[in-house]
Amino acid sequence: MGVGIGLGLQAIASNFISGIIILIDRSVAIGDYVELDDGSMGVVRELSMRATTLETYDGKDIVVPNDKFITGAFINWTHKDKRQRYRVDFSVAYHTDVRKLVEIIKTVVTAHPQVLSGEDVAQEERPDCEIDSFGDSGINMFVEFWMVGIDDGKNRVGGDLMLMILEALQENGFEIPFPQREVRLLNESKPHS
């Protein structure tokens, strides 16, 4: 029983000391969006001496012992800079005027109120549309953009942009390719005997 109590107190002491370290080094703060190495992620809602509470975008609370932040790896998406870069992928047919398409998509993405754009934004952080690769059925494109916060929960910017891109493609007569296969029939003639 004494060994069990000792091990339990050791875990409590470890989490308590870890909580003090977190408060001192400020590697995690209220409002940060954190992703743990086990895939758990959420917004830090509470920091206590024993544990940190993460709130997921579907309303669940994850209580994480503080020593996980000291002994394990984690990603703090928004700690030093709330701005994040995201990417939306789409495809167009091979006969597309890609230069015209790129300008239309940049204009569409720039129009979203949460996308960082304008003369006061650094050139490398403005929306950009490029060719990713040449696919079997069409040209694979992507658009990169920066925004403040995480693209989830209330900030569903990626989904908005997909709809805006689809509408722009349709309004401007651009085709979204469907998978195509070419079938060739060979006429093999048999030798006459």
Side-chain angles (χ1 to χ4, degrees):
M1 189 167 134
V3 171
I5 291 172
L7 290 173
L9 289 175
Q10 181 181 0
I12 291 170
S14 173
N15 285 319
F16 182 79
I17 292 168
S18 297
I20 292 171
I21 293 170
I22 289 170
L23 292 174
I24 291 171
D25 76 2
R26 295 188 172 106
S27 58
V28 178
I30 301 292
D32 287 351
Y33 187 83
V34 175
E35 180 179 353
L36 302 174
D37 60 355
D38 67 0
S40 302
M41 57 183 74
V43 177
V44 176
R45 293 295 182 215
E46 185 181 342
L47 285 166
S48 70
M49 296 308 289
R50 185 188 73 77
T52 299
T53 303
L54 306 180
E55 183 182 343
T56 65
Y57 280 123
D58 56 357
K60 296 178 180 66
D61 283 348
I62 303 172
V63 179
V64 182
N66 284 334
D67 68 346
K68 284 209 175 216
F69 291 102
I70 302 302
T71 60
F74 69 95
I75 300 170
N76 192 333
W77 287 86
T78 57
H79 184 62
K80 293 190 176 178
D81 191 348
K82 303 290 185 200
R83 296 173 303 152
Q84 303 292 319
R85 184 176 73 177
Y86 291 98
R87 171 177 162 149
V88 172
D89 295 273
F90 61 99
S91 296
V92 292
Y94 271 108
H95 61 266
T96 300
D97 180 347
V98 175
R99 290 186 191 279
K100 179 181 174 188
L101 169 75
V102 164
E103 293 310 312
I104 290 170
I105 297 303
K106 282 184 187 179
T107 302
V108 166
V109 172
T110 300
H112 195 288
Q114 288 175 269
V115 171
L116 298 177
S117 62
E119 295 299 319
D120 57 333
V121 174
Q123 184 68 35
E124 62 273 9
E125 293 182 8
R126 294 179 193 169
D128 187 33
C129 183
E130 299 178 23
I131 294 175
D132 183 50
S133 63
F134 299 110
D136 292 338
S137 304
I139 303 170
N140 298 320
M141 308 284 298
F142 70 91
V143 62
E144 287 181 329
F145 64 95
W146 286 76
M147 61 176 280
V148 175
I150 298 297
D151 185 19
D152 203 347
K154 292 181 275 187
N155 294 328
R156 286 282 191 186
V157 176
D160 289 351
L161 291 178
M162 289 294 285
L163 180 58
M164 293 167 71
I165 289 168
L166 176 63
E167 291 170 345
L169 293 174
Q170 291 170 340
E171 287 169 11
N172 290 281
F174 294 111
E175 272 182 51
I176 297 174
F178 294 99
Q180 300 174 21
R181 295 285 178 257
E182 184 176 305
V183 178
R184 294 183 184 191
L185 299 174
L186 300 176
N187 185 6
E188 292 184 23
S189 58
K190 295 183 182 178
H192 292 52
S193 38

